[in-house]
Amino acid sequence: MLRVAVLGAGRIGRIHAANVAADRRAKLVAVADPLKGAAQELASRLSCEAALDAVSVIERKDVDAVVIGTPTDTHVDLLLHAVKHGKAVLCEKPIDLNLGRADAAVAEIERLRGRVMLAFNRRFDPSAQEIRRAIDAGEIGVVRQVIITSRDPEVPPREYSRHCGGIFRDMTIHDFDMGRWLLGEEPVEVMASGSRLVDPSLAEFDDFDTIMVLMRTASGRQCHINNCREAVYGYDQRLEVFGSVGMLLNDNLRPTTVKRWRKDETDARQPLLNFFLERYADAYRIELGRFLDAVESGQPMPVTAFDGRQALRLADCALESARSGRAVKV
Ligand SMILES: NC(=O)c1ccc[n+]([C@@H]2O[C@H](COP(=O)([O-])OP(=O)(O)OC[C@H]3O[C@@H](n4cnc5c(N)ncnc54)[C@H](O)[C@@H]3O)[C@@H](O)[C@H]2O)c1
């Protein structure tokens, strides 16, 4: 049984901790969070230990692996500390906000032969997995275009916007990873456009709330990503992959499949699942399972720190393009 600690008892840490506690192959040893009461509340709900200091939890002899769900600017330090102590790591996205630091972390992980998985949870969504399987099986021939729509239901709190590194590194980072994964080739050029249509005050952080990105690979495959921080109808998550002999389309999920017909509406369905915690509940659970599989078997991690670095590089290119109005070579 793998003994796991979860660092960070916030929105995502609570999800990971509950999934560790529910997985029969793992034992949740402790949760750590410096915020008074945060770890304690989660620990008493999940019957594990609580700690204020993540570093000492990493160093515990009875911890084999850690899940990092702390703010982004703490990821690299915590993950390298864990690797140095021989612990396997599942680390939340983005790996860091600074490409130089991400590169140095990837090099250090390689040097120490660290076992690190980046938590790009959307790859583990059952529909995304089916799309990847269908591409691999040749069902749509050669991939030509990937179209990703990803819109949040509401803008994050202002404090979050202040520290998140901007929409490309915080939100589009998932889509950069998904784009790379589905294209099957590395993008070589990025063009992006950014607007402030929801919250003009984001100008204070030089950030955007509404973006479009176009990426092109060396062979000419294309990926289009569109994001908005606010969609009044809910969390909009759609994927389309177009190939030489077909197309794969993944629509939004709703709580049920029921449709309604009435005097003033037809084909009406329930609102979309509210946000990431609901929409990707299965993906987070499966992601953790794949992490535990890799740790147990010694097989390669399904998503690596290098994947985290590549997504960050694409985010940086998109930001440069949105600011300059020019296409940027990756
Ligand atoms: N994969 C996803 O779908 C997804 C979703 C949300 C957030 N995230 C990522 O997860 C990370 C956390 O985001 P969140 O929304 O849960 O934030 P949050 O603010 O809700 O939670 C972060 C928690 O970490 C704690 N913390 C701060 N420093 C710490 C340290 N050194 N050791 C231990 N705990 C520490 C904070 O007190 C807080 O409780 C971010 O990097 C974010 O990008 C990923």
Side-chain angles (χ1 to χ4, degrees):
M1 185 168 274
L2 284 164
R3 299 162 300 178
V4 181
V6 173
L7 315 180
R11 293 187 304 173
I12 203 72
R14 288 195 288 267
I15 296 293
H16 289 310
N19 285 338
V20 173
D23 196 303
R24 280 188 299 183
R25 289 172 303 164
K27 174 178 162 48
L28 179 64
V29 176
V31 291
D33 195 304
L35 198 65
K36 211 165 184 304
Q40 192 57 60
E41 186 275 325
L42 187 59
S44 46
R45 187 151 48 81
L46 298 175
S47 307
C48 68
E49 291 179 44
L52 294 175
D53 176 26
V55 169
S56 55
V57 167
I58 289 170
E59 291 170 3
R60 280 174 64 145
K61 291 215 162 27
D62 62 347
V63 168
D64 306 309
V66 295
V67 180
I68 300 180
T70 56
T72 300
D73 59 359
T74 65
H75 290 179
V76 161
D77 290 342
L78 290 173
L79 86 78
L80 288 180
H81 195 70
V83 165
K84 280 173 192 150
H85 283 80
K87 312 295 163 101
V89 181
L90 174 63
C91 178
E92 263 310 332
K93 49 54 65 177
I95 184 167
D96 196 77
L97 297 178
N98 177 283
L99 195 65
R101 270 170 61 84
D103 278 337
V106 169
E108 186 67 353
I109 292 165
E110 276 171 16
R111 191 180 73 78
L112 296 169
R113 298 179 188 277
R115 305 280 290 144
V116 177
M117 173 169 161
L118 242 287
F120 282 125
N121 59 293
R122 292 184 195 176
R123 291 197 192 193
F124 302 98
D125 178 58
S127 299
Q129 287 280 318
E130 171 57 14
I131 286 181
R132 186 64 256 176
R133 189 208 57 75
I135 294 170
D136 290 341
E139 291 177 16
I140 60 163
V142 178
V143 171
R144 292 177 177 166
Q145 294 177 319
V146 174
I147 299 171
I148 304 172
T149 294
S150 178
R151 302 185 181 123
D152 284 355
E154 59 195 30
V155 288
R158 192 151 189 80
E159 260 323 283
Y160 186 88
S161 301
R162 189 185 299 281
H163 300 291
C164 75
I167 188 168
F168 292 114
R169 295 188 189 110
D170 176 58
M171 180 174 173
T172 325
I173 199 94
H174 282 291
D175 308 309
F176 290 126
D177 180 67
M178 191 60 88
R180 286 180 67 231
W181 188 56
L182 295 177
L183 284 168
E185 293 178 356
E186 291 289 349
V188 295
E189 186 183 77
V190 177
M191 268 189 287
S193 161
S195 301
R196 288 179 276 274
L197 301 178
V198 182
D199 182 3
S201 76
L202 283 174
E204 187 193 333
F205 312 132
D206 204 9
D207 196 6
F208 308 105
D209 51 44
T210 308
I211 63 94
M212 281 197 174
V213 177
L214 260 186
M215 305 196 292
R216 189 176 56 76
T217 69
S219 76
R221 297 183 187 187
Q222 298 165 330
C223 174
H224 162 79
I225 299 167
N226 66 81
N227 289 167
C228 187
R229 287 284 199 185
E230 180 192 71
V232 292
Y233 52 85
Y235 191 41
D236 190 1
Q237 297 286 294
R238 286 171 284 153
L239 274 181
E240 181 178 313
V241 185
F242 168 68
S244 54
V245 298
M247 182 182 77
L248 299 159
L249 188 60
N250 184 29
D251 207 345
N252 279 303
L253 295 184
R254 292 163 174 81
T256 71
T257 53
V258 175
K259 293 181 180 177
R260 285 176 183 72
W261 278 258
R262 303 192 314 168
K263 202 169 156 189
D264 55 353
E265 61 181 5
T266 59
D267 265 313
R269 296 163 75 181
Q270 283 174 295
L272 309 181
L273 291 177
N274 182 50
F275 208 178
F276 57 92
L277 301 179
E278 295 86 359
R279 171 61 184 84
Y280 289 114
D282 285 344
Y284 295 121
R285 190 176 42 72
I286 295 166
E287 171 184 73
L288 177 80
R290 294 290 302 279
F291 171 68
L292 298 174
D293 288 345
V295 175
E296 273 179 351
S297 67
Q299 292 294 309
M301 291 289 176
V303 191
T304 63
F306 180 73
D307 290 315
R309 182 269 175 212
Q310 291 297 83
L312 182 62
R313 172 72 186 132
L314 295 173
D316 285 359
C317 291
L319 182 60
E320 187 185 332
S321 174
R323 283 178 176 159
S324 67
R326 285 195 295 274
V328 172
K329 297 266 180 272
V330 179

